[in-house]
Amino acid sequence: MAAELQQENKLAKLIGNFLVSRLSLADLQHLAAKKKVPVHKHSLWYYMGGITMIYFAVQVVTGILLMVYYVPEINAAHASILKINSQIDFGWFIRSLHSWGSTLMILSAAVHLFSSFFMRAYRQPREITWWAGLVLMILCLAFGFTGYLLPWDDLSFFATKVGLDITAKAPLVGGLLGPLLKGGNMISQATISRFFGIHVAILPLTLISLLAVHLMLVQSHGMSEPAAFADTPPEKRRYEPFFPDFFFKDMLVWILALNVLFVLVVLFPWGVGPEANPFAPAPIGIKPEWYFLGAFQFLKLIPPMVGPIEGELFGILAMSLVGLGFLIMPFIDNGSQRRRALLATIYGVAVVLGLIFLSIWGALS
Ligand code: HEM
């Protein structure tokens, strides 16, 4: 028995050495061994990026499977979704994984954004990691927006129409982006073709490339340390190696995250509404997906004209200014003054509370 074990160990070592040398993994091994993760009472937030990543992996796998049966044509899209939901073995399961997965991915990316913000991970030297993250968040929302139209049911059709009308009014880019996405004056075959291409090719390629940069930077800078932790004497600071300690905990958290997804999928399988009729009036009380509800409600509150500016344009400008705050935060709060740090916290809390409040209001009204 002992001899057999020794033999197996030898074989494993041999294969390990072969892979390390042939794939030039030594640099990667060195990088993984070098990285240490700070241990403190806010360490929990270090798992949020990984959770977002595992949900993204689910989206890629289930998205490829859905492509086998989905037909991106206005006369066949809805029927292909009905077929996936009721005739293809486990089709409902794969589709629900993809739909619930999108919700959980956007939610975890948003929690990751705000937790990185409150940990002040945007400060030097992580500015580019932060900006890459902001673009990743926009890409996640773009995935949600383009995917929502694809089932071609009445809700998805009219919500997309509202979204595209708002996009067309955006300053600078709206005039170009609106017609470019729509592919004409109204939502048609051209729109579904464009949304499908963006959803299954342009967005995944862009997100994967940017994610590679994001992760490379995280790996080379190491995890940020909250001020209270960085200010404690070195002998009292605790770290754990990224590999294997943190990595194995990461995997455990991924299993938990996948369980949350499976429970939602099994208890609340994703439905499909009646087929879209572009010539019918919009259903009353139409609302976008939850992640656009805050912005939607905000725009609804603004009067048709604000001084000389059209209300919707004013609203979009106001929201762009809030976004700009996140973009320039590394310059405003660079760690040099406590006053600026306080300002950043107030800003972050105001945005989170505002978003939650407007989203709940939007959902209830
Ligand atoms: C597809 C979306 C995203 C994925 C898959 C992702 C993935 C990750 C991972 C795995 C980490 C390392 C572990 C962690 O700190 O959680 C990380 C770190 C980081 N992410 Fe993201 N991220 C995404 C979006 C974002 C967004 C939206 C932001 C904010 C604008 C952001 C900003 C950061 C920052 C600043 C760090 C460094 C954290 C630190 O050093 O404490 N990421 N990301």
Side-chain angles (χ1 to χ4, degrees):
M1 186 69 184
E4 260 175 37
L5 258 177
Q6 237 175 4
Q7 201 73 5
E8 272 175 24
N9 273 346
K10 247 185 176 170
L11 186 67
K13 241 187 194 153
L14 217 69
I15 296 176
N17 287 343
F18 176 84
L19 290 177
V20 168
S21 94
R22 300 310 189 274
L23 295 172
S24 307
L25 294 181
D27 289 350
L28 212 69
Q29 259 183 335
H30 177 70
L31 203 65
K34 201 183 79 177
K35 189 176 165 189
K36 291 198 169 21
V37 181
V39 181
H40 49 77
K41 60 179 180 189
H42 302 298
S43 300
L44 195 74
W45 301 112
Y46 292 144
Y47 293 98
M48 286 317 300
I51 296 179
T52 313
M53 213 161 59
I54 197 67
Y55 285 138
F56 177 59
V58 170
Q59 293 310 93
V60 173
V61 175
T62 53
I64 291 172
L65 291 175
L66 285 174
M67 274 208 297
V68 177
Y69 291 102
Y70 174 74
V71 184
E73 287 167 18
I74 45 172
N75 296 324
H78 189 260
S80 71
I81 293 290
L82 287 180
K83 185 172 165 181
I84 291 171
N85 256 19
S86 55
Q87 290 173 33
I88 308 296
D89 286 342
F90 289 101
W92 69 271
F93 184 67
I94 300 296
R95 175 161 178 258
S96 290
L97 278 177
H98 198 72
S99 307
W100 274 114
S102 74
T103 274
L104 292 181
M105 179 177 159
I106 291 176
L107 182 65
S108 50
V111 174
H112 175 50
L113 186 157
F114 285 110
S115 58
S116 302
F117 180 86
F118 289 117
M119 300 251 273
R120 312 202 188 282
Y122 48 76
R123 283 182 185 166
Q124 197 192 356
R126 295 182 182 76
E127 297 94 328
I128 298 182
T129 318
W130 170 251
W131 292 325
L134 286 179
V135 181
L136 284 172
M137 187 73 239
I138 293 171
L139 293 178
C140 290
L141 293 173
F143 260 118
F145 184 61
T146 50
Y148 198 53
L149 176 70
L150 301 181
W152 201 252
D153 62 18
D154 62 353
L155 260 184
S156 74
F157 177 86
F158 285 105
T160 304
K161 188 170 178 311
V162 174
L164 279 175
D165 290 346
I166 294 172
T167 312
K169 294 210 172 121
L172 301 177
V173 289
L176 185 72
L177 203 61
L180 191 75
L181 286 174
K182 219 187 249 182
N185 288 332
M186 58 184 290
I187 298 181
S188 62
Q189 178 59 48
T191 325
I192 214 172
S193 300
R194 281 161 201 230
F195 272 44
F196 183 67
I198 295 170
H199 192 78
V200 307
I202 297 176
L203 288 176
L205 286 177
T206 319
L207 194 142
I208 288 169
S209 317
L210 198 63
L211 186 57
V213 175
H214 192 68
L215 295 181
M216 211 182 66
L217 290 171
V218 171
Q219 203 62 27
S220 66
H221 293 313
M223 304 311 295
S224 66
E225 299 180 357
F229 179 86
D231 292 345
T232 47
E235 66 280 4
K236 287 204 178 143
R237 274 184 244 154
R238 248 180 16 96
Y239 293 89
E240 63 183 351
F242 172 74
F243 194 83
D245 300 40
F246 186 81
F247 182 70
F248 282 133
K249 287 189 200 165
D250 235 352
M251 293 222 291
L252 185 69
V253 171
W254 293 349
I255 293 172
L256 291 175
L258 289 178
N259 272 291
V260 172
L261 175 61
F262 288 141
V263 167
L264 286 170
V265 163
V266 173
L267 293 186
F268 310 101
W270 209 265
V272 52
E275 187 171 8
N277 176 3
F279 301 106
I284 298 165
I286 183 127
K287 282 175 196 159
E289 278 289 82
W290 65 269
Y291 36 87
F292 291 125
L293 263 181
F296 182 66
Q297 182 65 17
F298 179 67
L299 289 177
K300 266 199 339 199
L301 294 176
I302 298 178
M305 292 301 284
V306 180
I309 308 178
E310 200 192 329
E312 241 170 27
L313 180 62
F314 178 85
I316 296 170
L317 280 172
M319 288 190 294
S320 309
L321 272 182
V322 174
L324 191 70
F326 283 108
L327 199 68
I328 59 171
M329 197 49 80
F331 302 120
I332 295 178
D333 172 28
N334 54 11
S336 62
Q337 291 176 32
R338 289 189 72 148
R339 215 163 35 98
R340 290 177 176 219
L342 183 68
L343 188 77
T345 306
I346 293 172
Y347 175 77
V349 171
V351 174
V352 174
L353 291 182
L355 250 181
I356 295 177
F357 176 72
L358 283 169
S359 304
I360 295 177
W361 190 359
L364 297 179
S365 58

